[in-house]
Amino acid sequence: MHQLCVDLFPITRSITGAGARETLARVSADLPLAIHEVPSGTPAFDWTVPAEWNVRDAFVADDHGHRIVDFNRSNLHLVSYSIPVHERLTLDELRPHLFSLPDRPDLIPYRTSYYEKSWGFCLTHDDLVGLPDGTYEVCIDSTLEPGSLTYGEVVIPGSSDDEVLLSTHICHPSLANDNLSGIALLTFLGRLLGARPHHFSYRLLFIPGTIGSIVWLSRNEEILGRIRHGLVVTGIGDAAPFTYKKSRRGDADIDRAVQHVLRTTHDDARVVDFSPYGYDERQFCSPGFNLPVGRLGRSVHGEYPEYHTSGDNLDFLVPEQLAGALETMVDIVNVIEGNGTFVNQNPKCEPQLGRRGLYRALGGAFDSKSTEMAMLWVLNYSDGTHDLLDIASRAELPFDAVKRAADLLGDHGLLAPARVPRLEVAP
Amino acid sequence: MHQLCVDLFPITRSITGAGARETLARVSADLPLAIHEVPSGTPAFDWTVPAEWNVRDAFVADDHGHRIVDFNRSNLHLVSYSIPVHERLTLDELRPHLFSLPDRPDLIPYRTSYYEKSWGFCLTHDDLVGLPDGTYEVCIDSTLEPGSLTYGEVVIPGSSDDEVLLSTHICHPSLANDNLSGIALLTFLGRLLGARPHHFSYRLLFIPGTIGSIVWLSRNEEILGRIRHGLVVTGIGDAAPFTYKKSRRGDADIDRAVQHVLRTTHDDARVVDFSPYGYDERQFCSPGFNLPVGRLGRSVHGEYPEYHTSGDNLDFLVPEQLAGALETMVDIVNVIEGNGTFVNQNPKCEPQLGRRGLYRALGGAFDSKSTEMAMLWVLNYSDGTHDLLDIASRAELPFDAVKRAADLLGDHGLLAPARVPRLEVAP
Amino acid sequence: MHQLCVDLFPITRSITGAGARETLARVSADLPLAIHEVPSGTPAFDWTVPAEWNVRDAFVADDHGHRIVDFNRSNLHLVSYSIPVHERLTLDELRPHLFSLPDRPDLIPYRTSYYEKSWGFCLTHDDLVGLPDGTYEVCIDSTLEPGSLTYGEVVIPGSSDDEVLLSTHICHPSLANDNLSGIALLTFLGRLLGARPHHFSYRLLFIPGTIGSIVWLSRNEEILGRIRHGLVVTGIGDAAPFTYKKSRRGDADIDRAVQHVLRTTHDDARVVDFSPYGYDERQFCSPGFNLPVGRLGRSVHGEYPEYHTSGDNLDFLVPEQLAGALETMVDIVNVIEGNGTFVNQNPKCEPQLGRRGLYRALGGAFDSKSTEMAMLWVLNYSDGTHDLLDIASRAELPFDAVKRAADLLGDHGLLAPARVPRLEVAP
């Protein structure tokens, strides 16, 4: 996963353009992505696909032709979606186009101007305050022309048409945690899912932020009813503990599943309520859709000093944290795959587990975390209204222990799936 | 407001009599009160309007004719509703008629005997223990005769017949916080309401405690269905932080509104659950009415040493606290006036605020308290089930920021009022 | 109660056999128990009544014929339900049949093997490690033959057929807290109940653990619909504070009643959620019955070092704690007997309590715990939806104060019982 981040880091990504295509091509080496191109001007709800932006070169040079700000040294130097410009300006004329971070003077900020025609450069505050008076040559060799918006999508089919939606954004240039960590996570999770059987079909989206999810939603309304669970994953590779942001519903199965996994494996994880700001959960959870989509990450956007600066580089990623994120995603998948609601077939008193070889023979000490205990919990609460995830939470047992107990009870005819009427959507 | 308290302080108020009339006459100089006179003997549910009580003079004099307790020095000296008496008594005969506070020996207590024919004097404990043996002349020149109960009422009409009920009691003699502060607050709030347009009609009651609200309720049952919100206000001028006592419903809109205002403006405010003891909320919230009426005050009756003693005098009032109470009442009015439930007209994904000039152009840092953020909250939760007050609480934003955002979105056609079916009361 | 424990302590009880009969005979001296004998082989849901076990003698003797483990010194030495055996074994052959507690080396553990044919001895770890090599004579003079399972039952009739189920287990040999304390508590509570009138009929069960409750349930399904409240009581005589384990329903009346009593009388009491492990509440609360049965005890099984060892002896019992448990049970009975839902007959404003002599005459200080206050709470919340227990909890008043207030109000015609439709069980 870290190597994939290393490979992708130098590419100049934005919400459209060659960088997005190059990124998706590299991902396709590991995962069979379908690449979609949506022409500029295509309407998507209240929005329109913007012109495609590409950039060949950009710099600010001093009187001596010395490039004091150079896009080739860091693509963060250029405000994303800057229009072409080539002129000579005094420092005073240039200043409104220069952006820095006075409180983090050694970092280059990341800025965009997608929907307002504009241009600008970002540089460290140390460099900004060191600029001598004089005239400067400003050159942005960019194009902003009709083209298309590019996104990648893959469905890894399961035995059911019911879907799990997993989404990450691909529109940031040389920023590592935000968003290469999410791209790497979904790529490797996709490979794992392709190699094992599963119930749900998993739909993985690699899309530009905001406009990408809006465009995807506008083209896929008919499949939204099949989405049972969903996660936006991003910012998952830094040293911090996990943060889970609940779906707008607040008590969707995905919310319960992620919270259960984090509670049983990561004491330091944080869970926050839904808010209408952040990443693409904003769109998936807009009131017209209200999909059961939460967001999993580590440090939260805007809350760490490296966020949207040159400090979010490859050194900011921790390979073990990327691996840990993958492990946690697999745990979450295991819960949503394994969950179900059952009915105890012997509901009057406990069944005699002992004569079925399911209970220790000698009365005495009893481990509260044992399989016998898990079986007692499953039997007692399997009345058709409590799913295994609920039982695991009540019992304070890991989901897999409860799942194993349910399987064992099922094998002995003591448990049967609840007949849950499938909700039909009115025409 | 403080001057009004100063003017009203010397008057000998009780649940009936000349003092109530004089008080209402003074308030009428500022607010066009209707004065109601309800004859003694009028039934009101389980009660009957009592005889009217007036007093000209009252004293206890020693052997030398020296007035050692004198109603003219403080009307608290006389137990309210004392029957006429004029006799000579030994100290031992007098003692059962004398009331003091051994644990606050320098304060005169306030005592009443409305419904048991009786008489008595209140004095400081220091004075009581200093009384020499001997005979005393006791004189109470009072009348307790058929008359009427007096209360004041004003309706400040709004664009709707729906009403907000605001009530304060007017039955205490020379006590400042309890109840002159409430009288001053309602008087000045009434003046402000008269000077601005509003949706609700505001009904302000200046009534004697308990019997006054019972009488008013018995004469106004037919309008109770129009009361949407209500507050009893009293004890609002001392130095302590606010205390809000919830309505019996516990989750009425008025409860949510007051709690929101206090939470966002007064960290030190206290909120307590409804209890069936206190001021006239006892009657408004009796189970046969269960009106959405809470109570706003500062120090709570019985919980401060000056309560119902001569310590609750004009020095106990803090003019800034009176002003602050008025300000908070205006904040509460603004919330109940401005609240509403809306429907996002562009519910699928976010609308593109930027092309409407509603969003900052340059991507980057984002203030969680900004207008943009308030708009995102309003858009996301305006699905016809969340009112603005709920949204403000979820967003941890001041109500006015959310209201401004809603107005702005409405102006741009992005928000429309939810059609809320009006509840009809069955005949 | 302590004397009863002393009398019962030496008896060798198990889930069947002479010890159970002897125990119930001793209890019958105090309480008119019906003794039920259920033949071995009788089916009970998924279980079958086992063979009856009795034991005359059991020992392990060394080469010199010296009894180094002797059932006559402590019946805990023999694993309960050990099959007959008489042979000579080397220490290595004997060792798998010997059980000790390495971490509590001076205590004899208590072990059973009800449903796996087996034999064994329990001894202190100190004794075990001191055994020299050599051959040992092992003798268990027991019988495991068709017979019956024995339990005791008494119904103390009330004015209603609705029942309160109180159950304790009787299957442990010389262990004092677990289970003699429960036997003593139910015996003496039964005597008290027999001596006073009550509404509910109280059904007291003295049954072997697990198989006893399963057998009882299988023979009494038709009466389960009459059980309104229930408690399993056991482990109630040690020095620790109370622990209440809620019924599976979690909010049954019995849960509210016990929590109210403990909250108002025992600050140190602990309340835990239902779990499907423990004593016979496992069976009463199995999903096919889901009876409103909680469990009251002090130290919880498995959580104290003396549990299921020779340390749980008569010295471990505290007579004052036995008496306190009885007192608390009486408090609980008083709540469930006295609880009810009423309707204020004067719901519009407060009734005038004063003219009925129910209110202090002189206005002034007011005790929040007074009878007047309790009456105000009862009047305000008696709208047919709040029972007295709920009102007591809201008011933070002891139940008996609220009950007294309700009785007083009823006597004055101010309160009438709510007509609560009796729930019918569908055929």
Side-chain angles (χ1 to χ4, degrees):
Chain A
M1 295 167 70
H2 192 254
Q3 185 56 47
L4 177 56
C5 294
V6 170
D7 294 352
L8 295 173
F9 189 73
I11 302 172
T12 301
R13 276 167 294 274
S14 186
I15 55 173
T16 62
R21 278 182 208 102
E22 189 180 346
T23 297
L24 294 173
R26 172 63 187 83
V27 170
S28 293
D30 288 314
L31 201 61
L33 289 186
I35 310 294
H36 298 268
E37 298 282 353
V38 185
S40 299
T42 304
F45 301 122
D46 195 52
W47 301 63
T48 306
V49 174
E52 182 177 325
W53 183 70
N54 285 289
V55 57
R56 272 179 298 263
D57 195 9
F59 63 86
V60 179
D62 64 14
D63 281 343
H64 311 288
H66 189 71
R67 292 187 171 201
I68 54 159
V69 182
D70 186 350
F71 169 77
N72 295 299
R73 282 201 295 271
S74 167
N75 53 31
L76 298 181
H77 278 312
L78 183 61
V79 169
S80 194
Y81 263 67
S82 281
I83 55 175
V85 66
H86 196 170
E87 46 187 320
R88 296 194 73 83
L89 300 173
T90 66
L91 182 56
D92 278 353
E93 292 167 331
L94 178 58
R95 221 178 265 282
H97 295 276
L98 298 182
F99 303 96
S100 72
L101 298 167
D103 56 344
R104 281 163 290 167
D106 58 334
L107 297 179
I108 310 166
Y110 163 56
R111 289 284 181 276
T112 65
S113 186
Y114 300 138
Y115 299 101
E116 171 106 353
K117 289 204 175 178
S118 165
W119 63 269
F121 285 90
C122 299
L123 68 169
T124 71
H125 198 64
D126 287 341
D127 283 351
L128 177 63
V129 298
L131 288 186
D133 277 338
T135 57
Y136 290 88
E137 178 189 2
V138 171
C139 171
I140 300 177
D141 181 7
S142 67
T143 56
L144 188 56
E145 291 166 358
S148 62
L149 175 151
T150 313
Y151 69 85
E153 183 174 20
V154 58
V155 177
I156 304 163
S159 56
S160 162
D161 282 346
D162 287 347
E163 291 195 5
V164 178
L165 180 73
L166 301 171
S167 172
T168 197
H169 62 281
I170 58 157
C171 52
H172 287 30
S174 293
L175 295 172
N177 192 43
D178 179 12
N179 50 195
L180 300 184
S181 68
I183 297 173
L185 179 60
L186 276 206
T187 303
F188 279 75
L189 181 64
R191 287 172 58 172
L192 289 179
L193 287 169
R196 54 173 263 189
H198 39 85
H199 169 77
F200 290 108
S201 294
Y202 288 79
R203 184 179 297 265
L204 278 55
L205 301 183
F206 297 80
I207 52 178
T210 303
I211 185 67
S213 51
I214 293 169
V215 164
W216 183 85
L217 282 161
S218 73
R219 293 158 56 102
N220 290 278
E221 281 200 72
E222 74 288 349
I223 70 119
L224 300 183
R226 302 207 300 265
I227 295 175
R228 295 281 166 258
H229 317 285
L231 282 176
V232 169
V233 292
T234 191
I236 202 94
D238 63 304
F242 286 113
T243 301
Y244 178 64
K245 175 181 170 179
K246 290 193 226 177
S247 77
R248 184 178 183 274
R249 301 183 185 184
D251 61 352
D253 287 352
I254 188 67
D255 299 318
R256 296 165 55 227
V258 177
Q259 288 180 90
H260 177 82
V261 166
L262 293 180
R263 196 163 44 229
T264 53
T265 61
H266 289 82
D267 279 349
D268 55 0
R270 191 164 62 121
V271 174
V272 299
D273 282 335
F274 179 76
S275 61
Y277 187 63
Y279 294 102
D280 287 319
E281 69 275 10
R282 293 162 70 162
Q283 314 308 330
F284 298 126
C285 297
S286 56
F289 300 125
N290 199 21
L291 294 175
V293 174
R295 190 186 80 207
L296 186 67
R298 294 186 183 273
S299 287
V300 169
H301 54 89
E303 296 183 4
Y304 54 107
E306 296 85 357
Y307 172 72
H308 275 197
T309 75
S310 53
D312 180 8
N313 53 38
L314 290 168
D315 292 339
F316 189 61
L317 289 184
V318 182
E320 291 75 13
Q321 294 285 82
L322 288 169
L326 183 58
E327 199 174 335
T328 292
M329 284 298 288
V330 169
D331 286 345
I332 295 167
V333 164
N334 286 341
V335 170
I336 59 185
E337 287 283 327
N339 196 23
T341 304
F342 296 89
V343 177
N344 179 342
Q345 300 297 293
N346 187 84
K348 294 181 175 179
C349 300
E350 292 169 11
Q352 193 178 3
L353 297 176
R355 66 176 169 83
R356 296 173 175 88
L358 296 175
Y359 211 73
R360 80 217 181 298
L362 192 76
F366 197 89
D367 176 2
S368 72
K369 300 296 171 200
S370 65
T371 307
E372 284 107 329
M373 190 61 99
M375 286 190 291
L376 293 179
W377 279 100
V378 171
L379 285 168
N380 192 284
Y381 281 97
S382 286
D383 56 6
T385 69
H386 302 278
D387 63 15
L388 295 184
L389 185 52
D390 178 37
I391 295 172
S393 294
R394 283 171 182 270
E396 298 181 17
L397 288 169
F399 180 82
D400 57 354
V402 168
K403 171 68 175 162
R404 266 198 312 274
D407 289 345
L408 211 48
L409 292 167
D411 293 345
H412 284 80
L414 291 170
L415 210 63
R419 261 167 298 164
V420 179
R422 179 61 178 270
L423 294 173
E424 300 290 341
V425 177
Chain B
M1 294 168 69
H2 192 254
Q3 186 56 49
L4 178 55
C5 295
V6 170
D7 293 354
L8 295 173
F9 189 75
I11 301 172
T12 299
R13 277 166 293 275
S14 188
I15 55 172
T16 62
R21 279 182 207 101
E22 188 180 348
T23 298
L24 294 173
R26 172 63 187 83
V27 170
S28 294
D30 288 314
L31 202 61
L33 289 186
I35 310 294
H36 299 268
E37 298 281 355
V38 184
S40 299
T42 304
F45 301 122
D46 194 53
W47 301 63
T48 306
V49 174
E52 183 177 324
W53 183 70
N54 286 288
V55 56
R56 273 178 298 265
D57 194 7
F59 62 86
V60 178
D62 64 16
D63 282 341
H64 312 288
H66 190 71
R67 291 188 173 203
I68 54 163
V69 182
D70 187 350
F71 169 78
N72 296 300
R73 282 203 294 272
S74 168
N75 52 32
L76 298 181
H77 278 312
L78 184 61
V79 170
S80 195
Y81 263 66
S82 282
I83 56 176
V85 65
H86 196 169
E87 45 188 319
R88 297 194 73 85
L89 300 173
T90 65
L91 182 56
D92 279 352
E93 292 166 332
L94 178 59
R95 221 178 265 282
H97 295 275
L98 299 181
F99 303 96
S100 71
L101 297 168
D103 57 342
R104 281 164 290 170
D106 58 333
L107 298 178
I108 309 166
Y110 164 56
R111 289 284 181 277
T112 66
S113 186
Y114 299 137
Y115 299 101
E116 171 108 353
K117 288 205 173 176
S118 165
W119 64 267
F121 286 89
C122 300
L123 68 168
T124 71
H125 198 64
D126 288 342
D127 283 350
L128 178 62
V129 297
L131 288 186
D133 276 338
T135 57
Y136 290 89
E137 178 189 4
V138 172
C139 171
I140 301 178
D141 182 8
S142 66
T143 55
L144 187 56
E145 291 166 359
S148 62
L149 176 151
T150 313
Y151 68 86
E153 183 174 21
V154 58
V155 177
I156 305 163
S159 57
S160 162
D161 283 345
D162 288 346
E163 292 195 6
V164 177
L165 179 74
L166 302 171
S167 172
T168 198
H169 62 281
I170 58 157
C171 51
H172 287 29
S174 292
L175 296 171
N177 192 43
D178 177 14
N179 49 196
L180 300 183
S181 67
I183 297 173
L185 179 61
L186 277 205
T187 303
F188 279 76
L189 181 65
R191 289 173 56 172
L192 289 179
L193 286 168
R196 54 173 264 191
H198 38 86
H199 169 77
F200 290 107
S201 294
Y202 288 78
R203 184 179 296 263
L204 278 56
L205 302 183
F206 298 78
I207 52 178
T210 304
I211 185 66
S213 51
I214 293 169
V215 164
W216 184 85
L217 282 161
S218 73
R219 295 159 54 101
N220 289 278
E221 280 199 75
E222 73 288 350
I223 71 116
L224 300 184
R226 301 207 301 265
I227 295 176
R228 295 280 166 260
H229 317 285
L231 282 176
V232 169
V233 292
T234 191
I236 201 93
D238 62 306
F242 285 114
T243 300
Y244 178 64
K245 175 180 171 179
K246 291 192 225 176
S247 78
R248 183 177 183 274
R249 301 183 185 186
D251 61 351
D253 287 353
I254 188 67
D255 299 317
R256 297 163 56 228
V258 177
Q259 288 180 91
H260 178 81
V261 166
L262 293 181
R263 196 161 44 229
T264 53
T265 60
H266 289 81
D267 278 350
D268 54 0
R270 191 164 62 121
V271 175
V272 299
D273 283 334
F274 178 76
S275 61
Y277 188 63
Y279 294 101
D280 287 319
E281 69 277 9
R282 292 160 73 162
Q283 313 308 331
F284 298 126
C285 298
S286 57
F289 299 125
N290 199 20
L291 294 175
V293 174
R295 189 187 81 207
L296 186 67
R298 295 186 184 274
S299 287
V300 170
H301 54 89
E303 297 183 4
Y304 54 108
E306 296 84 358
Y307 173 72
H308 275 197
T309 75
S310 54
D312 181 7
N313 53 38
L314 289 168
D315 292 339
F316 189 61
L317 289 184
V318 182
E320 292 75 14
Q321 294 286 83
L322 288 169
L326 183 59
E327 199 174 335
T328 291
M329 284 298 288
V330 169
D331 287 345
I332 294 167
V333 164
N334 286 341
V335 170
I336 59 185
E337 286 283 326
N339 195 23
T341 304
F342 297 89
V343 177
N344 179 341
Q345 300 298 293
N346 187 84
K348 295 181 175 181
C349 299
E350 292 168 10
Q352 194 177 2
L353 298 175
R355 66 175 168 85
R356 296 175 175 88
L358 296 174
Y359 212 73
R360 81 219 180 295
L362 191 76
F366 198 88
D367 177 2
S368 72
K369 303 293 172 203
S370 64
T371 307
E372 285 106 328
M373 191 60 98
M375 286 190 289
L376 293 180
W377 279 101
V378 171
L379 285 167
N380 191 284
Y381 281 97
S382 287
D383 56 5
T385 69
H386 302 279
D387 64 14
L388 295 183
L389 185 51
D390 177 37
I391 295 172
S393 295
R394 283 172 183 268
E396 297 180 17
L397 288 169
F399 180 82
D400 58 353
V402 167
K403 171 68 174 162
R404 269 198 311 274
D407 288 346
L408 211 50
L409 292 166
D411 293 345
H412 284 81
L414 291 170
L415 209 62
R419 260 167 297 163
V420 180
R422 180 60 178 273
L423 294 173
E424 299 291 342
V425 178
Chain C
M1 295 168 70
H2 192 255
Q3 186 56 49
L4 178 56
C5 295
V6 170
D7 293 352
L8 295 173
F9 189 74
I11 302 172
T12 300
R13 277 166 294 273
S14 187
I15 54 173
T16 62
R21 277 182 209 102
E22 189 180 345
T23 298
L24 295 173
R26 172 65 187 83
V27 170
S28 294
D30 288 314
L31 202 62
L33 288 186
I35 310 295
H36 298 269
E37 298 281 354
V38 185
S40 299
T42 304
F45 300 123
D46 195 51
W47 301 63
T48 306
V49 174
E52 182 177 324
W53 183 70
N54 286 289
V55 57
R56 271 178 299 264
D57 194 8
F59 62 85
V60 178
D62 64 16
D63 282 341
H64 312 288
H66 190 70
R67 290 187 172 202
I68 54 163
V69 182
D70 187 350
F71 169 76
N72 296 300
R73 281 202 295 270
S74 167
N75 54 31
L76 297 180
H77 278 311
L78 183 62
V79 169
S80 195
Y81 263 67
S82 282
I83 56 176
V85 64
H86 196 170
E87 47 187 318
R88 296 194 74 85
L89 300 172
T90 65
L91 182 57
D92 278 355
E93 290 166 333
L94 178 58
R95 220 178 266 283
H97 295 276
L98 299 181
F99 303 96
S100 71
L101 297 167
D103 56 343
R104 281 164 290 168
D106 58 334
L107 298 179
I108 309 166
Y110 163 56
R111 289 284 181 277
T112 65
S113 187
Y114 300 136
Y115 299 101
E116 171 107 352
K117 290 207 172 173
S118 164
W119 63 268
F121 286 89
C122 299
L123 67 171
T124 70
H125 198 64
D126 288 341
D127 283 350
L128 177 64
V129 298
L131 289 185
D133 277 337
T135 57
Y136 290 87
E137 179 190 2
V138 171
C139 171
I140 302 177
D141 181 9
S142 66
T143 56
L144 188 56
E145 292 166 357
S148 61
L149 177 151
T150 312
Y151 69 86
E153 184 173 20
V154 58
V155 177
I156 303 162
S159 57
S160 162
D161 283 344
D162 288 347
E163 292 195 6
V164 177
L165 180 73
L166 301 172
S167 172
T168 196
H169 61 282
I170 57 157
C171 51
H172 287 29
S174 292
L175 295 172
N177 193 43
D178 179 11
N179 49 198
L180 300 184
S181 68
I183 296 172
L185 178 61
L186 277 205
T187 303
F188 279 76
L189 180 65
R191 288 172 57 172
L192 290 178
L193 288 168
R196 54 174 263 190
H198 38 86
H199 169 77
F200 290 107
S201 294
Y202 287 78
R203 185 180 296 264
L204 277 57
L205 301 183
F206 298 78
I207 51 178
T210 303
I211 185 67
S213 52
I214 293 169
V215 164
W216 184 85
L217 283 161
S218 73
R219 293 158 56 102
N220 290 279
E221 281 200 74
E222 73 288 350
I223 71 115
L224 300 184
R226 302 207 299 265
I227 295 176
R228 294 281 166 261
H229 316 286
L231 282 176
V232 170
V233 292
T234 191
I236 202 94
D238 62 305
F242 286 113
T243 301
Y244 178 64
K245 176 180 170 178
K246 291 192 225 177
S247 78
R248 183 178 184 272
R249 301 183 185 184
D251 61 352
D253 287 353
I254 187 68
D255 300 318
R256 296 164 55 228
V258 177
Q259 288 180 91
H260 177 81
V261 166
L262 293 181
R263 197 163 44 231
T264 52
T265 61
H266 289 81
D267 278 349
D268 54 0
R270 191 165 61 123
V271 175
V272 299
D273 284 334
F274 178 77
S275 61
Y277 188 63
Y279 294 101
D280 287 319
E281 70 276 8
R282 292 161 73 163
Q283 313 307 332
F284 297 125
C285 297
S286 56
F289 300 124
N290 199 22
L291 295 174
V293 174
R295 190 186 80 208
L296 186 67
R298 294 186 183 274
S299 287
V300 170
H301 54 89
E303 295 183 5
Y304 54 108
E306 296 83 359
Y307 173 72
H308 275 196
T309 74
S310 52
D312 181 6
N313 53 38
L314 289 168
D315 292 338
F316 189 61
L317 288 184
V318 182
E320 291 75 14
Q321 294 284 84
L322 288 170
L326 183 59
E327 199 175 334
T328 291
M329 283 299 288
V330 169
D331 287 345
I332 294 167
V333 164
N334 286 341
V335 170
I336 59 186
E337 286 285 326
N339 196 23
T341 303
F342 296 88
V343 177
N344 179 341
Q345 301 298 294
N346 187 83
K348 295 181 175 179
C349 299
E350 292 168 10
Q352 194 178 1
L353 296 176
R355 66 175 167 86
R356 296 174 175 88
L358 297 174
Y359 211 73
R360 80 218 180 297
L362 191 75
F366 198 88
D367 177 1
S368 71
K369 303 294 172 200
S370 65
T371 307
E372 283 106 329
M373 190 62 99
M375 285 189 290
L376 293 179
W377 279 101
V378 170
L379 285 168
N380 192 284
Y381 281 97
S382 287
D383 57 6
T385 69
H386 301 279
D387 63 15
L388 295 183
L389 185 51
D390 178 37
I391 294 171
S393 294
R394 283 172 184 269
E396 299 181 16
L397 288 170
F399 180 82
D400 57 353
V402 168
K403 171 67 176 161
R404 266 198 313 272
D407 289 346
L408 211 48
L409 292 166
D411 292 345
H412 284 81
L414 291 170
L415 209 62
R419 259 168 299 165
V420 179
R422 179 62 177 271
L423 293 173
E424 298 292 340
V425 178

